[in-house]
Amino acid sequence: MSVQQLAELIQARQPCLVLTGAGVSTESGIPDFRSPGGLWASFDPLEYGSVDAFARDPLKVWSFYKPRVAMLTDAEPNPAHLAVAELEQRGLVRAVVTQNIDLLHERAGSGEVVEVHGSIRTATCPGCRTRYELERVVELLARADTPACEACGAIVKPDVVFFGELLPTDAVERAHELAREAQLMLVVGSALEVYPIAALPDQTLAAGGALAIVNRGPTPYDGRATLRVEGNAGEVLPAVLEAL
Ligand SMILES: [Zn+2]
């Protein structure tokens, strides 16, 4: 029933902006770092995921990131990513805003993907600002525990937003613009607790748009959502596609 309602809502309210969090990628085998059993419960983010930690001890930070990069590059888009891309191809989704750094929306075929926490697509040398593509970082990591800049020898840093680091301004501005212009914001797999994602539904609602949420577990916006579907994104979104 709610799947049918969501399909109708998507058709009725265009443009639709999809907002995704960690929950859309857990079915690809990528753990939610912030969940109670997640990585940040076992690794102190201030020691392994902060910009200060990287400045202090990049080798230690890479001891944490190296296996992560391997896991992320091995992961494949799941039915939720594929359904979002299919909705866009059918003209029913305008863009995706994501806090995920895993590139899985892009690999699933989504066109505009706004990455508000950066991504693993590139890494940058903090010394000379040389930029490295993921493929090159993976090659460097195959030979050493840390990727050293080929120009100056400094340890390069993934272009993902670390704790204590500023968010990418262009991406955040674009996300706000898309949120204001959306007639429907479809939240998928996010508890809407981490900024800037957590602020975006307010923008849509304030501009007169509606909110739909597909998530396992509650969010602070549940009371203001037109529709809430409790469930796994990889099951709900393909069912919505079928209902269209
Ligand atoms: Zn360098």
Side-chain angles (χ1 to χ4, degrees):
M1 187 59 187
S2 49
V3 163
Q4 182 63 41
Q5 285 172 326
L6 181 53
E8 287 166 12
L9 200 58
I10 291 170
Q11 278 179 316
R13 300 197 70 110
Q14 288 292 324
C16 169
L17 175 66
V18 173
L19 185 65
T20 66
V24 81
S25 289
T26 49
E27 290 164 82
S28 292
I30 298 173
D32 177 359
F33 294 160
R34 290 178 174 82
S35 70
L39 274 178
W40 293 138
S42 350
F43 290 89
D44 180 353
L46 292 181
E47 291 209 26
Y48 292 92
S50 77
V51 67
D52 286 347
F54 192 85
R56 198 167 55 234
D57 193 349
L59 276 68
K60 182 175 178 180
V61 172
W62 269 109
S63 73
F64 168 71
Y65 264 91
K66 186 177 176 178
R68 270 194 70 197
V69 167
M71 178 191 69
L72 291 168
T73 49
D74 285 348
E76 294 292 338
N78 68 53
H81 299 106
L82 297 169
V84 170
E86 172 73 23
L87 284 168
E88 183 184 330
Q89 276 145 26
R90 294 194 198 178
L92 293 169
V93 161
R94 181 181 183 190
V96 182
V97 172
T98 188
Q99 68 182 40
N100 299 339
I101 60 164
D102 54 34
L103 307 177
L104 291 182
H105 283 299
E106 181 180 284
R107 287 172 54 199
S110 282
E112 182 173 3
V113 183
V114 181
E115 295 159 326
V116 292
H117 285 175
S119 81
I120 58 166
R121 184 178 298 103
T122 55
T124 301
C125 171
C128 69
R129 308 310 295 171
T130 299
R131 184 168 276 195
Y132 292 85
E133 297 295 322
L134 175 61
E135 197 176 37
R136 191 77 194 113
V137 172
V138 170
E139 285 169 10
L140 293 170
L141 282 172
R143 302 202 301 251
D145 287 337
T146 54
C149 175
E150 292 168 306
C152 78
I155 306 298
V156 306
K157 178 193 161 295
D159 290 332
V160 303
V161 176
F162 277 35
F163 291 95
E165 205 167 27
L166 293 174
L167 297 164
T169 312
D170 290 354
V172 172
E173 282 177 4
R174 180 64 179 149
H176 279 271
E177 181 181 46
L178 287 164
R180 283 193 301 271
E181 291 172 5
Q183 280 297 306
L184 177 67
M185 174 175 285
L186 173 57
V187 175
V188 181
S190 172
L192 296 171
E193 283 170 342
V194 180
Y195 284 84
I197 288 277
L200 293 172
D202 256 335
Q203 302 276 313
T204 299
L205 291 165
L211 180 63
I213 300 172
V214 176
N215 193 47
R216 285 186 70 87
T219 84
Y221 283 96
D222 289 354
R224 296 161 75 192
T226 301
L227 186 64
R228 211 196 103 75
V229 183
E230 175 74 25
N232 287 334
E235 291 162 14
V236 175
L237 294 188
V240 168
L241 266 183
E242 284 211 6
L244 281 164

